[in-house]
Amino acid sequence: MSRHPHTTDEHGFDFMANTGREEQDRDCLGILFALAVMACVTVSQYLGLL
Amino acid sequence: MNTNSMAINYDLNRKSWFSSLYGLREVLPGLLAMFFIAIFSNNLAGVPNPFTLENLFAWLDGVIGPLHHQSFFQIMNSNFVWNPLLLGLILGNVFGVPDCWKRGLSYIHMLMPLGIIMLAPHFMVGHAFKLGAAPILICTAFLFLTATVTLWVSRLLRLDDRHGSIIAGGLATGDPHACAILMPLIKAKGGQVVHATACVIVFGLIAMQLLPVLGEWVGIPPKYLGLASVVGVGNGSQALYAAFGGGYEAGRWATWFDVGRHVIMPAGFLYVFIVMFVRKLRRRNDPEVLATRGVKTFPVWLGVFVFLWVLACLHVFKEPAHHAVFAMVKWDFSLAAAALGLSLSFREIAGHGFKGFAVTCIAGLIRIALLLAAILVCVKTGLLPA
């Protein structure tokens, strides 16, 4: 299998590959951080901090 | 070691969701690369750096002067996504991407859902109610029609369905951002996304010259030439260029009507994703069906986006919160676009050839013809009052 010089490192890790359990974990963290940021900003607004 | 064995390794060593963040020492170089590309590309909240690509383009816009009341680099769709993408692309192709950056650059896959979810407060449907029923209906009908026609033309020309889907999203919503938003949903290649974006922007350059001429030829009043520009050209400044090309009044009306296209944008990329996802479910064993391949169920984060979009429509996020969240979106997409730019070679983008552009042009021209006919009929029948 050919190695993509821009995305694959010497150990075979391809940073553009996103599958399986790893993909699910990244999605969960994305949701978690997004909700945290939005909740924080919205609550700040309702408390008159923005 | 190939990608499959890396996935097995991950599963064996995984402890929690946070395992996908890896160790700080592993990811720091890649994160710093994304950070520096982002802050030298865009004027980001909290960073007082004047030496950005955004400021360079703004200065050049001042030198070039306005074109039909629009800045040249705005017409070329320079924004917080394409500036870091361009810088990443140049750096990656000139200097290469060191191996030590690659763990950190994988954060792009977390940043994409994060940024898309945070985009939800940006689309408040209530903002478009001032336009009246007929213009909203025209914007909505042509969004779905353009997406459907583009998917049909891409199938007719046997274009890779992932590439066709990305073009459909960008063309239908009238915003090349949608191409990047569709990337994780369609499971498109980075090269396809950048190529599709270029197709949508270049077709926009053609459409913005063509539409005012055709509009005047068929006798569209200036007010509705503004609506035709917004729906038929899209892409922000390109639509305004087309409208101002037809006269000052048409240009002013385009700024009024643009909100109608903007607020329903999520419906465009959701529609393209759902169509391609259902198609994949129906033709699981068809090797030609590649779009959404690897997406097993409706993505949870997309459900969260839809939920927050509903909250936005109910005005839960008011103006200051909306602006603060959007500043975070700019940070997020700047970092993600830097990683996307670094991942691509020029050859990969150019390798997608001319077929994608042909699909964009055919679908875009069909949209303009049908749109002008629809607006003309509405004006003649009084549905759109003069």
Side-chain angles (χ1 to χ4, degrees), chain B residues 303-317:
Chain B
V304 175
F305 169 82
V306 174
F307 174 69
L308 292 174
W309 187 30
V310 173
L311 290 187
C313 294
L314 297 172
H315 286 244
V316 170
F317 312 102

Side-chain angles (χ1 to χ4, degrees), chain B residues 201-271:
Chain B
I201 293 172
V202 174
F203 173 71
L205 295 174
I206 298 167
M208 73 185 195
Q209 307 289 347
L210 194 64
L211 193 121
V213 178
L214 288 176
E216 278 177 38
W217 181 58
V218 297
I220 302 275
K223 180 177 179 181
Y224 296 113
L225 188 61
L227 177 63
S229 303
V230 161
V231 181
V233 180
N235 303 0
S237 291
Q238 291 186 348
L240 296 180
Y241 178 101
F244 277 107
Y248 189 74
E249 197 185 342
R252 296 295 295 164
W253 278 109
T255 58
W256 169 261
F257 285 121
D258 195 42
V259 68
R261 172 197 66 85
H262 185 260
V263 295
I264 54 162
M265 207 187 289
F269 61 79
L270 284 171
Y271 174 75

Side-chain angles (χ1 to χ4, degrees), chain B residues 43-299:
Chain B
N43 301 332
L44 295 168
V47 184
N49 174 28
F51 303 106
T52 61
L53 205 55
E54 185 179 342
N55 284 349
L56 174 67
F57 288 156
W59 181 79
L60 286 171
D61 278 333
V63 175
I64 295 166
L67 305 162
H68 286 305
H69 302 264
Q70 307 307 308
S71 309
F72 172 75
F73 285 98
Q74 291 298 306
I75 292 170
M76 298 306 290
N77 265 269
S78 153
N79 60 26
F80 61 89
V81 176
W82 310 122
N83 293 348
L85 191 135
L86 184 67
L87 203 56
L89 201 61
I90 293 168
L91 288 174
N93 279 277
V94 174
F95 302 106
V97 182
D99 280 357
C100 63
W101 290 9
K102 287 168 185 167
R103 286 273 170 184
L105 295 179
S106 72
Y107 274 39
I108 181 179
H109 302 295
M110 186 193 67
L111 291 168
M112 289 299 283
L114 202 169
I116 296 169
I117 291 169
M118 289 198 299
L119 262 180
H122 201 48
F123 306 105
M124 293 193 190
V125 174
H127 286 172
F129 289 166
K130 64 178 183 179
L131 303 183
I136 294 175
L137 270 176
I138 287 174
C139 290
T140 312
F142 274 88
L143 175 115
F144 292 120
L145 188 118
T146 309
T148 309
V149 168
T150 312
L151 291 174
W152 175 71
V153 174
S154 73
R155 210 170 55 183
L156 209 66
L157 295 191
R158 296 189 164 276
L159 184 68
D160 185 311
D161 61 351
R162 293 167 294 183
H163 197 181
S165 307
I166 301 290
I167 293 172
L171 198 63
T173 56
D175 193 331
H177 276 95
C179 297
I181 291 172
L182 273 167
M183 182 181 166
L185 292 170
I186 295 296
K187 295 280 176 193
K189 292 178 184 172
Q192 289 171 328
V193 173
V194 178
H195 189 275
T197 305
C199 290
V200 173
I201 293 172
V202 174
F203 173 71
L205 295 174
I206 298 167
M208 73 185 195
Q209 307 289 347
L210 194 64
L211 193 121
V213 178
L214 288 176
E216 278 177 38
W217 181 58
V218 297
I220 302 275
K223 180 177 179 181
Y224 296 113
L225 188 61
L227 177 63
S229 303
V230 161
V231 181
V233 180
N235 303 0
S237 291
Q238 291 186 348
L240 296 180
Y241 178 101
F244 277 107
Y248 189 74
E249 197 185 342
R252 296 295 295 164
W253 278 109
T255 58
W256 169 261
F257 285 121
D258 195 42
V259 68
R261 172 197 66 85
H262 185 260
V263 295
I264 54 162
M265 207 187 289
F269 61 79
L270 284 171
Y271 174 75
V272 171
F273 167 69
I274 291 168
V275 166
M276 299 314 281
F277 186 58
V278 170
R279 177 171 172 260
K280 187 214 67 179
L281 291 178
R282 283 184 179 167
R283 297 165 61 182
R284 280 177 199 276
N285 300 321
D286 188 341
E288 282 188 13
V289 177
L290 298 167
T292 75
R293 182 79 62 195
V295 181
K296 292 188 176 66
T297 54
F298 189 86

